[in-house]
Amino acid sequence: MTYEEKVKLIVDYIKSGEKAESDFKVGFEAEHFTVDKDSLLTASYSEEGGVRDILEELENEGFHGIYENEYIMGLSGDDVSVSIEPAAQFEMAFDARESMDELFDLYKANMKKIIPVFDKADKLLVTVGYQPKSKIDDLNFIPKERYKYMSKYFLAHGGPSPHNMMKGSASLQAAIDYKDEDDFRKKFFVANALSTFLYSTFDNAYIFEGEVYQKHNIRQSIWDNCDPARSGVYDFAFDEDLSYESYAKKILDTDSIFIRENGVDTYTGDTKFEEIFNKDHSLDMIYHALSIVFPDVRVKRYIEVRMPDSVPYPYNLAGVALIKNIFYNEDLLDYLYTDVFADMTYEKSNELKDAAVENGIHTTYKDKAIWQWMLDIIGRIDNDQKYIEPIKELLEKQMTPRDLYEKLYQEDPKKALYEFSVNKFVRDINGQD
């Protein structure tokens, strides 16, 4: 198979995600930490009453268990799936919907199913950006070979923060559609241009490795120091000739780390996907190649916006609604593409990121601070205001979710973690029903 044929396979895969505007939807993923209510330590996969036991109990409650060998590694349910990240972070992926009301109903219905199991186990399902108390050296990898291979690879080829990424972090991610390659180009460009803005607006990490983190946007710093070849903003994101092909060539030039052969994960280290495709260029391999990269903006058959920290309700739905409206409002998208970020470059993006580590939402871009730019963007949105309003109110106070978390934590860490848990959300919702 020639190089051009390999590129075309990935291009065709990405192109197959094109949708008519009338079919545009938005989906999201939310990662959580499972934390003991009393000690605030993160529950391991294997401990009694830990994540494995919780998954098995949820399977008994009607979810379908997903197993690798004898280990339960995830769940599937009605339009939702659960997967377990390297240190047993609890990730829930909600199928895409046309409206925020539909997404909220899906989120609410599933959280009301799972939280009683967490309550029974005396565990909180916590939405913060970094481990609230436990340190990564005290957390074991779940029994999944691929995570051992990723650790091995990153320690040999990555930066200083791969284990912080794998075992310490939790995020909120949204998926958006595109109608054609021009629409893809515009949305990919704007999403990357907004990288620092979304990291900063949804910063929600106050504690880092058991200590107060004195700077901002720890998620951004962790990813930028994990594996520069596959994370952060890609250097072609703002090129005039950005295309499906640009992205496909980047994937082929990426180290594969591991692949699945004959039903078993096999370590491949720094073997490029271009070479891997000589033996296996199936749809499953293409999907794996597109999934084992971790840029701020990732492409599959949709565009993933991956910058926000995990944040509690209502800020999680606010984040999804904000992303949805930025990318599905043609006038707003054009305003950002042709006006606000017209002269954005890879170098300017990285300079802005560096500045935001020190200054957060007070970082200046052109003539305004990030919080002012975000309010300007929100002011141009007509739809989904009831969902966006909570993050608007925070920005008007020049605050982020982290500021709320910090204030509560200084009063009482237990109170902070409960207030930032899905347990509280479900309790409040049940009280309203």
Side-chain angles (χ1 to χ4, degrees):
M1 175 175 284
T2 66
Y3 177 74
E4 290 73 21
E5 289 172 329
K6 296 172 188 175
V7 171
K8 187 175 185 301
L9 284 172
I10 301 176
V11 167
D12 288 347
Y13 188 95
I14 297 172
K15 185 176 177 60
S16 71
E18 294 178 352
K19 291 181 174 65
E21 283 188 61
S22 58
D23 294 328
F24 281 0
K25 297 179 180 178
V26 61
F28 76 103
E29 298 180 0
E31 294 175 342
H32 312 77
F33 299 110
T34 301
V35 172
D36 183 85
K37 285 183 177 180
D38 293 321
S39 71
L40 303 185
L41 293 171
T42 294
S44 70
Y45 177 79
S46 301
E47 70 182 63
E48 184 176 353
V51 173
R52 180 180 186 175
D53 288 349
I54 288 172
L55 290 173
E56 290 176 346
E57 181 65 23
L58 288 168
E59 184 181 25
N60 293 334
E61 294 292 325
F63 286 89
H64 174 71
I66 300 170
Y67 284 78
E68 290 193 19
N69 300 317
E70 73 271 28
Y71 299 106
I72 186 168
M73 288 294 166
L75 303 164
S76 63
D78 294 333
D79 302 316
V80 67
S81 61
V82 173
S83 58
I84 305 303
E85 295 296 292
Q89 299 100 309
F90 198 91
E91 178 184 276
M92 298 188 70
F94 300 90
D95 288 357
R97 292 289 187 269
E98 291 184 11
S99 74
M100 287 304 303
D101 286 345
E102 291 175 297
L103 266 187
F104 177 59
D105 287 344
L106 181 61
Y107 176 78
K108 179 171 60 174
N110 279 281
M111 290 311 190
K112 288 175 73 172
K113 290 179 185 176
I114 72 167
I115 286 303
V117 176
F118 281 82
D119 283 335
K120 182 180 175 181
D122 290 325
K123 299 295 189 296
L124 297 175
L125 193 62
V126 173
T127 46
V128 294
Y130 198 83
Q131 290 285 355
K133 184 173 182 179
S134 297
K135 299 180 181 180
I136 58 171
D137 287 345
D138 297 326
L139 300 170
N140 296 322
F141 284 112
I142 65 173
K144 206 169 188 176
E145 286 298 312
R146 65 184 57 186
Y147 293 141
K148 296 178 183 177
Y149 296 152
M150 289 172 68
S151 176
K152 176 181 177 180
Y153 171 84
F154 285 134
L155 291 175
H157 302 282
S161 302
H163 281 186
N164 300 99
M165 176 274 286
M166 295 178 72
K167 297 197 288 185
S169 64
S171 69
L172 173 74
Q173 303 177 19
I176 56 174
D177 293 318
Y178 45 89
K179 61 184 176 182
D180 54 32
E181 194 164 22
D182 286 340
D183 192 41
F184 165 85
R185 179 182 300 110
K186 186 184 297 184
K187 287 173 177 172
F188 189 78
F189 179 106
V190 171
N192 279 281
L194 284 169
S195 175
T196 306
F197 294 75
L198 293 175
Y199 274 125
S200 301
T201 299
F202 294 94
D203 182 8
N204 190 32
Y206 174 59
I207 301 298
F208 176 70
E209 291 299 283
E211 303 291 338
V212 172
Y213 187 66
Q214 300 295 342
K215 297 185 178 182
H216 302 274
N217 302 2
I218 185 60
R219 175 174 172 79
Q220 171 192 301
S221 297
I222 287 170
W223 279 106
D224 286 348
N225 288 285
C226 174
D227 180 7
R230 73 181 71 234
S231 55
V233 170
Y234 280 157
D235 59 7
F236 57 83
F238 309 110
D239 291 351
E240 290 185 4
D241 60 352
L242 170 68
S243 63
Y244 295 154
E245 185 176 301
S246 305
Y247 201 89
K249 288 180 176 179
K250 174 64 176 179
I251 295 300
L252 289 176
D253 191 42
T254 299
D255 295 349
S256 54
I257 304 181
F258 72 91
I259 61 171
R260 196 156 184 84
E261 287 184 308
N262 302 317
V264 177
D265 290 336
T266 304
Y267 184 71
T268 51
D270 59 358
T271 304
K272 305 290 186 186
F273 274 110
E274 180 185 355
E275 183 177 339
I276 296 294
F277 274 35
N278 288 328
K279 293 196 301 179
D280 183 355
H281 50 267
S282 63
L283 288 178
D284 285 344
M285 185 57 70
I286 294 171
Y287 179 81
H288 171 59
L290 292 167
S291 300
I292 199 65
V293 296
F294 313 111
D296 291 351
V297 184
R298 183 164 66 181
V299 179
K300 295 175 183 173
R301 284 176 168 146
Y302 42 82
I303 297 173
E304 291 180 342
V305 181
R306 297 165 37 84
M307 292 76 86
D309 276 341
S310 179
V311 290
Y313 177 84
Y315 305 107
N316 53 1
L317 274 294
V320 178
L322 180 59
I323 290 166
K324 169 181 176 282
N325 281 276
I326 287 172
F327 292 97
Y328 293 163
N329 179 326
E330 196 68 35
D331 290 340
L332 176 53
L333 188 64
D334 282 340
Y335 166 67
L336 295 173
Y337 184 64
T338 62
D339 189 350
V340 177
F341 297 125
D343 58 350
M344 180 62 76
T345 65
Y346 176 68
E347 290 74 23
K348 288 180 181 179
S349 174
N350 283 327
E351 289 172 4
L352 194 62
K353 276 187 164 188
D354 290 343
V357 169
E358 301 296 331
N359 301 307
I361 58 171
H362 298 283
T363 304
T364 299
Y365 173 71
K366 293 185 174 178
D367 59 336
K368 288 187 287 198
I370 283 176
W371 66 269
Q372 294 172 309
W373 277 114
M374 295 303 291
L375 286 174
D376 174 50
I377 290 170
I378 290 170
R380 297 168 185 269
I381 295 172
D382 295 323
N383 298 322
D384 298 320
Q385 282 297 318
K386 68 179 180 181
Y387 291 103
I388 296 174
E389 186 65 24
I391 199 66
K392 176 186 176 183
E393 291 177 356
L394 263 191
L395 289 166
E396 287 173 340
K397 298 174 184 175
Q398 301 181 39
M399 295 175 67
T400 68
R402 175 219 162 104
D403 294 315
L404 298 179
Y405 179 28
E406 176 180 354
K407 183 178 179 180
L408 288 166
Y409 195 96
Q410 289 177 348
E411 293 176 14
D412 180 357
K414 287 185 180 181
K415 178 181 179 181
L417 270 296
Y418 179 73
E419 292 288 326
F420 273 53
S421 73
V422 184
N423 307 61
K424 179 183 185 298
F425 163 74
V426 170
R427 185 204 68 180
D428 291 346
I429 289 297
N430 285 338
Q432 296 170 11
D433 290 346

